[in-house]
Amino acid sequence: MSPPAMMFQEPVSPAVTSKMSAVPHNTTVPVKGQSKPHTVEEMAGQWESFTFQPIRESQVSRAMTRRYFADLDKYAESDVVIIGAGSCGLSSAYCLAKARPDLRIAIIEAGVAPGGGAWLGGQLFSAMVMRKPADAFLRELDVPYEEDSDSGNYVVVKHAALFTSTLLSKVLAFPNVKLFNATAVEDLITRTDDKGGIRIAGVVTNWTLVSMHHDDQSCMDPNTINAPVIISTTGHDGPFGAFSVKRLVSMQVLQALGGMRGLDMNTAEDAIVKGTREIAPGLIVGGMELSEVDGANRMGPTFGAMALSGVRAAEVAAEIFEQRRKECAE
């Protein structure tokens, strides 16, 4: 795929004095039930007479809450829940939503801003490095990049935010995906099979701000989402990191976590992609959360493994979905 075309065009007439007026914009704005074409070009230079359409404040509130509560109702029964909207979780959501438009996919992100640590490169430097062959995922998204002229082993996106914003916008455009941000997963819904084993059947959620204050405020009960397949990509250990796998230890599904090892890019990235798998029935783990399970090395400021671990997690979800859905229905 070639890099995306530029979005802005130069003015075509000397009479145009504002560059903004040359931006192509053909938005149709509904007015009193009628669709009236309104363009940015028509507004340019007319600001003295400009006014917004009249509105009552309650209309704004209802426009938001009506849709949000409809989403809560719809996604209370999901097919796949992805925990964490970092680069791994978003990559997984993109691949799964594209391959399986029939699946209802909910993404739960504890932060207000999705994207995890992928808005910047390492140490607040803006460029994003991806080792080959992860550049294939950049081409899939139409994210432009430059080749390394020295070794040819990696590519560089000029700003990590370009990758993250492009991926996020494509994920949110899928009609079968809903992102619930500022929402934390507080627990996992479990079922016991006929052999006494535990399988995962959904997630327990709460507002992130409530989750952060359980110790100093009165308890507020959570909400729930049922789903036969969970993909957990919460990152390495931290306030919300490695949550699912730490919960597996406390439930005695896992004996202990291996603990993330020191930085070794060559070892770490291969291990994370190859190790992405279903850890417990119904729970797939990818990205840096997996390093806590397997005792894998950390990789530092290179992002190819995050993207390709998400690709692999989507593959695993598609492989196990029918079996896990059947089990949840029993």
Side-chain angles (χ1 to χ4, degrees):
M1 296 181 182
S2 60
M6 294 296 289
M7 295 298 295
F8 294 90
Q9 298 176 354
E10 289 298 319
V12 295
S13 169
V16 178
T17 58
S18 169
K19 285 189 176 182
M20 278 302 297
S21 64
V23 178
H25 199 298
N26 298 314
T27 303
T28 299
V29 180
V31 179
K32 295 182 179 180
Q34 302 295 320
S35 290
K36 177 187 176 182
H38 208 100
T39 64
V40 172
E41 292 94 324
E42 292 173 340
M43 290 189 289
Q46 306 296 320
W47 304 113
E48 289 297 325
S49 60
F50 173 83
T51 183
F52 283 104
Q53 292 293 321
I55 199 166
R56 187 170 177 80
E57 288 78 5
S58 60
Q59 289 179 273
V60 176
S61 179
R62 285 171 171 165
M64 294 186 298
T65 57
R66 182 184 297 123
R67 287 165 175 78
Y68 195 87
F69 283 114
D71 286 334
L72 285 176
D73 181 77
K74 178 179 179 180
Y75 285 88
E77 281 285 349
S78 293
D79 294 311
V80 178
V81 170
I82 298 174
I83 311 174
S87 49
C88 181
L90 290 175
S91 299
S92 180
Y94 171 83
C95 292
L96 192 57
K98 181 179 179 182
R100 293 290 303 269
D102 57 311
L103 297 183
R104 185 177 297 175
I105 303 168
I107 308 173
I108 311 298
E109 167 56 42
V112 172
W119 288 109
L120 286 168
Q123 198 173 316
L124 304 184
F125 303 140
S126 56
M128 171 179 274
V129 175
M130 280 201 176
R131 293 167 61 199
K132 293 182 177 180
D135 55 324
F137 193 64
L138 296 176
R139 292 191 295 276
E140 166 71 21
L141 299 177
D142 279 338
V143 174
Y145 58 83
E146 58 182 282
E147 298 270 357
D148 170 55
S149 58
D150 296 327
S151 67
N153 293 336
Y154 62 89
V155 301
V156 182
V157 179
K158 67 177 182 179
H159 202 299
L162 177 59
F163 166 77
T164 306
S165 59
T166 302
L167 175 57
L168 180 60
S169 67
K170 289 180 180 292
V171 168
L172 295 180
F174 284 111
N176 58 325
V177 174
K178 172 61 183 179
L179 168 67
F180 296 96
N181 48 328
T183 305
V185 171
E186 291 192 335
D187 207 347
L188 302 171
I189 299 174
T190 63
R191 299 285 187 267
T192 304
D193 61 28
D194 55 6
K195 297 180 180 179
I198 290 177
R199 60 180 174 81
I200 310 304
V203 296
V204 180
T205 63
N206 214 327
W207 305 124
T208 300
L209 289 176
V210 172
S211 294
M212 293 172 65
H213 288 279
H214 280 319
D215 291 338
D216 54 48
Q217 298 291 331
S218 60
C219 180
M220 182 180 291
D221 280 335
N223 205 351
T224 58
I225 299 176
N226 282 108
V229 173
I230 310 299
I231 301 174
S232 191
T233 64
T234 67
H236 54 71
D237 197 6
F240 293 101
F243 170 81
S244 296
V245 296
K246 287 187 288 188
R247 192 69 183 94
L248 291 183
V249 172
S250 63
M251 291 190 295
Q252 299 182 343
V253 176
L254 295 177
Q255 292 301 310
L257 297 182
M260 185 172 63
R261 302 296 197 265
L263 192 150
D264 182 341
M265 287 184 182
N266 289 296
T267 300
E269 290 209 278
D270 289 357
I272 293 300
V273 176
K274 292 177 179 178
T276 300
R277 64 193 185 279
E278 187 181 34
I279 297 292
L283 180 68
I284 300 163
V285 178
M288 292 310 295
E289 185 170 5
L290 192 65
S291 69
E292 300 288 354
V293 180
D294 293 343
N297 294 91
R298 67 183 300 173
M299 62 200 61
T302 175
F303 292 84
M306 296 299 96
L308 296 188
S309 177
V311 174
R312 176 59 184 146
E315 288 182 356
V316 176
E319 291 167 2
I320 69 172
F321 176 73
E322 294 302 334
Q323 177 61 30
R324 297 296 174 240
R325 178 167 64 175
K326 179 181 178 182
E327 292 167 354
C328 281
E330 292 174 351

